[in-house]
Amino acid sequence: MRAEPLFELKEIAFGYRERPPILKGASLALYPGERLALTGRNGCGKTTVLSIVMGLLRPLSGEVWIFGRKREKEKDFRETRPLLGFVFQDANDQLFSPTVYDDIAFGPLNMGATPKEAGLIVGEVLESLGLEGFGPRVTHDLSGGEKKLVSLGTALALSPRTLILDEPSNFLDQDAQDRLVSVLNARKLPLLIVSHDFAFLRTLKCRFLTLSEGVIKNLEDPELSRD
C-alpha cells in the first residue's frame, strides 16, 4: 500500500484578477522519497503552483492537502511552512538579515529555539553546506552561488520534511551547481523543483512533470526518449 502524500493539490483552479485562469484543474502529489521536477514555458504558472502549496496564494477552487490534512486558512499553512522548506528563485528575496548567521538563525529563533540552540543549528547547517566560518559574513556581499546555498540553509535550519525549490540552478556556475547537487543528494529529502534545467534535474534523478494549458501532466525526459 502506497504511503500518504506529503502534500497534494487536487483540481486547482487559479487566475489573477481579470486575466484568464492559468490553472484549470491542476493536480499534483509529492510522496515520501520522491523527487519531482515541474517544467513548462515561462509564465505558465509554475511558481504559482509553489505559492499555492505554501499558502501564499489561495485557489479559486480545488483542494490543498498537506501532511494528511486539508489546508484552507492562513493558520493551517502557518504550521506547515517550516516543514516544507521553500527556497525562492531569487536569493535576495529570502535573505534579509545583516549576516549569514542572522539569516539562518532567524527561523529557529522564531520557532522558539534559545540563542544557544540556534547557534548550534547555524553551525551544523553551515558545516553541511561547506560554508564553515561564513556566519559573520555580510549576506549581500556573497556570490550568487553562496547566496543560493545560504537561502537553502535558512530552510534546512528548520529541519523540513521536504524541500520546494524555485529555479535553484539559475545563474550558478558549474562549480556552484555541483555543490548544490551534492548538498541536496546528501540530505535525501523529497523534492519539488521548478526548473528548465534538464541536465541539473537529471543529476538529482527527478521525475518530470510539465504544466501546460493549466494542467499538470507526466513528461517523458526528452533525452531518455531518444534511447
Side-chain angles (χ1 to χ4, degrees):
M1 186 173 180
R2 193 172 192 185
E4 182 178 72
L6 296 167
F7 60 78
E8 185 173 11
L9 303 181
K10 299 181 179 182
E11 297 293 323
I12 297 294
F14 182 85
Y16 290 97
R17 295 187 178 180
E18 304 303 320
R19 301 177 188 175
I22 58 172
L23 300 180
K24 307 171 186 177
S27 297
L28 169 72
L30 179 72
Y31 288 85
E34 194 170 34
R35 292 181 165 189
L36 298 179
L38 182 60
T39 66
R41 61 175 177 76
N42 288 335
C44 69
K46 301 185 297 300
T47 296
T48 298
V49 169
L50 303 189
S51 296
I52 289 173
V53 173
M54 297 302 298
L56 303 176
L57 296 173
R58 300 288 192 272
L60 299 175
S61 63
E63 298 179 355
V64 181
W65 287 74
I66 304 175
F67 306 137
R69 285 180 50 198
K70 186 178 178 180
R71 310 288 175 165
E72 298 178 280
K73 300 178 181 179
E74 170 60 22
K75 66 177 183 179
D76 299 331
F77 290 96
R78 198 176 298 131
E79 66 184 26
T80 66
R81 287 178 189 131
L83 298 176
L84 292 175
F86 185 54
V87 179
F88 289 83
Q89 179 176 347
D90 186 346
N92 292 317
D93 291 335
Q94 191 146 5
L95 304 176
F96 54 84
S97 299
T99 69
V100 169
Y101 183 99
D102 294 330
D103 265 314
I104 297 178
F106 178 84
L109 289 171
N110 197 47
M111 296 298 292
T114 66
K116 182 177 180 180
E117 290 168 340
L120 292 173
I121 292 169
V122 172
E124 291 169 358
V125 168
L126 289 177
E127 181 178 1
S128 73
L129 297 173
L131 297 176
E132 299 94 330
F134 269 62
R137 296 276 296 273
V138 176
T139 307
H140 291 286
D141 288 344
L142 302 178
S143 69
E146 290 166 345
K147 287 181 180 179
K148 188 73 75 172
L149 287 172
V150 173
S151 293
L152 177 59
T154 65
L156 294 177
L158 294 170
S159 299
R161 293 176 59 184
T162 184
L163 288 172
I164 299 176
L165 312 176
D166 193 357
E167 299 286 0
S169 64
N170 269 15
F171 310 117
L172 300 186
D173 61 26
Q174 192 59 53
D175 286 344
Q177 281 198 33
D178 291 345
R179 198 170 179 185
L180 179 59
V181 167
S182 177
V183 170
L184 293 175
N185 282 335
R187 289 280 173 163
K188 295 183 171 59
L189 286 169
L191 303 175
L192 173 60
I193 304 177
V194 161
S195 179
H196 297 91
D197 189 343
F198 275 63
F200 172 76
L201 295 170
R202 290 185 193 105
T203 63
L204 294 170
K205 296 181 171 57
C206 293
R207 179 165 68 87
F208 290 90
L209 305 172
T210 186
L211 176 56
S212 177
E213 297 181 350
V215 297
I216 297 172
K217 306 173 185 177
N218 288 317
L219 176 67
E220 186 174 6
D221 184 339
E223 184 171 278
L224 297 179
S225 66
R226 291 197 295 266
D227 293 343

